[in-house]
Amino acid sequence: QQVVSKLGADILRLWVAAEDYREDVRISDEIFATLAEAYRRVRNTVRFLLSNLYDFDPSRDAVAYAMLPELERWALHRTHALATRVREAYEAYEFHVIYHALNNFCAVDLSSLYLDVRKDRLYCERAGNPERRATQTVLHLVCDAILRLMAPILSFTAEEAWGFLPGPDKAASVFLAGLPDSPAQWRDAALASRFEKLLELRGEVTKALEEARRAGVVKQAN
């Protein structure tokens, strides 16, 4: 009750899920602080996705998969991988795997890469620009998947956010929507392999820029 009063029920539910019950279950203020940070990361990612769908109607504005740019298709590939891993974890009662998978997806695949790259397009392009609509299409699909995947654990947050997800044909509740079945075409191993090489190169360039910044050669690493 103290945890719920201070941090909320979803944080308590996240702690239960994050602990591997096959080992000793640990509890402390430090653990809850870490979980609260992870929760905020997931919640803020969902908030960002929803805030950029304010003028998007999937029945009118969605872009077909074949017309999506490569970065958008890569994001859907990663979403497919997340959904597959999380569904397998639910079936195996490995709830701690779900916690780590969702946290990593929001922190690395979305916040540090896809959303960071695409935010200028979302903010600066005209409303009906096809490329902006393509990005919004992916934001909608990703948000739909995340909310369904997190619903059994972060139930209150998922249900509240589901009410703001655009779409006239969505289920009345996230708990009536079921876990997502990502289309098979989202899985693109060849595209993922190319992006893996690009991201490896990006990491080396970023490292070199940071070293140059510390050495005073450049003022900003980006």
Side-chain angles (χ1 to χ4, degrees), residues 12-84:
L12 185 63
R13 296 174 66 90
L14 188 60
W15 166 70
V16 174
E19 289 296 313
D20 187 350
Y21 56 80
R22 294 169 296 190
E23 302 175 357
D24 291 339
V25 175
R26 296 173 294 274
I27 186 170
S28 68
D29 289 338
E30 290 75 16
I31 290 175
F32 277 115
T34 300
L35 291 171
E37 180 62 29
Y39 168 78
R40 282 192 292 270
R41 183 176 297 111
V42 174
R43 183 194 63 188
N44 290 341
T45 299
V46 170
R47 178 185 293 174
F48 181 90
L49 297 173
L50 291 174
S51 68
N52 282 284
L53 294 172
Y54 67 92
D55 65 341
F56 180 79
D57 181 345
S59 64
R60 179 193 66 214
D61 303 317
V63 176
Y65 178 83
M67 301 298 294
L68 294 175
E70 283 195 340
L71 183 57
E72 273 60 38
R73 287 190 279 121
W74 174 84
L76 291 182
H77 171 86
R78 297 298 300 161
T79 304
H80 183 282
L82 172 72
T84 300

Side-chain angles (χ1 to χ4, degrees), residues 39 50 147 154-165 170 174-175:
Y39 168 78
L50 291 174
L147 294 180
L154 301 177
S155 303
F156 298 99
T157 304
E159 180 70 353
E160 182 179 1
W162 185 260
F164 294 95
L165 185 70
K170 70 177 183 181
V174 69
F175 301 107

Side-chain angles (χ1 to χ4, degrees), residues 98-169:
I98 300 166
Y99 158 71
H100 289 294
L102 281 171
N103 184 43
N104 187 71
F105 180 74
C106 290
V108 179
D109 293 332
L110 294 183
S111 297
S112 296
L113 182 57
Y114 180 66
L115 299 180
D116 185 52
V117 172
R118 287 302 194 224
K119 64 180 184 293
D120 289 339
R121 173 174 293 176
L122 292 167
Y123 298 158
C124 301
E125 294 289 355
R126 60 184 174 84
N129 179 280
E131 293 183 336
R132 180 172 180 269
R133 290 302 190 198
T135 298
Q136 286 183 305
T137 297
V138 171
L139 296 191
H140 182 264
L141 293 171
V142 169
C143 190
D144 177 272
I146 289 177
L147 294 180
R148 296 191 196 198
L149 293 171
M150 66 189 254
I153 297 174
L154 301 177
S155 303
F156 298 99
T157 304
E159 180 70 353
E160 182 179 1
W162 185 260
F164 294 95
L165 185 70
D169 301 325

